[in-house]
Amino acid sequence: MAEEAGKKDVAEVYVYVGKDGAKNLRRGIDASVWGWKPETAEQKGHHAVISSLKEGDLLYLGHLGLGRMPGPEAQTRTVSELVVTRLTGAS
């Protein structure tokens, strides 16, 4: 998967999963599936990113440790768990 990162045709999307999402994260990892609630997916800042995702893109799921914050600030922080996935299609 490392060779996929950085390719121009591969998007990298980072998602913070907080304490309240722990059960959903475990379920998603166990079932190899991830999605967003419709009300989250339709929010102005999320819709464009989510609708642009395609097979082969990388999705990084960070769990606990930093909270939601602007990207530049998050780059200097750590998370308790990082799950790296590659999108294989929509279900």
Side-chain angles (χ1 to χ4, degrees):
M1 197 176 324
E3 67 273 2
E4 295 291 327
K7 283 188 177 181
K8 289 183 181 179
D9 59 340
V10 174
E12 295 178 308
V13 176
Y14 298 83
V15 176
Y16 173 71
V17 181
K19 233 187 260 189
D20 293 344
K23 186 175 179 181
N24 189 47
L25 177 62
R26 295 273 78 81
R27 189 176 323 136
I29 291 169
D30 291 345
S32 295
V33 65
W34 186 259
W36 287 269
K37 293 177 183 176
E39 60 269 17
T40 300
E42 294 301 321
Q43 289 178 4
K44 185 179 179 182
H46 300 137
H47 183 71
V49 172
I50 294 170
S51 62
S52 73
L53 294 173
K54 63 192 176 311
E55 187 171 333
D57 288 347
L58 298 173
L59 182 64
Y60 298 86
L61 302 169
H63 182 54
L64 300 177
L66 61 117
R68 288 177 175 82
M69 62 184 65
E73 184 178 346
Q75 291 177 355
T76 63
R77 301 290 190 87
T78 60
V79 292
S80 298
E81 180 179 10
L82 180 66
V83 179
V84 182
T85 65
R86 184 175 36 187
L87 302 180
T88 58
S91 56

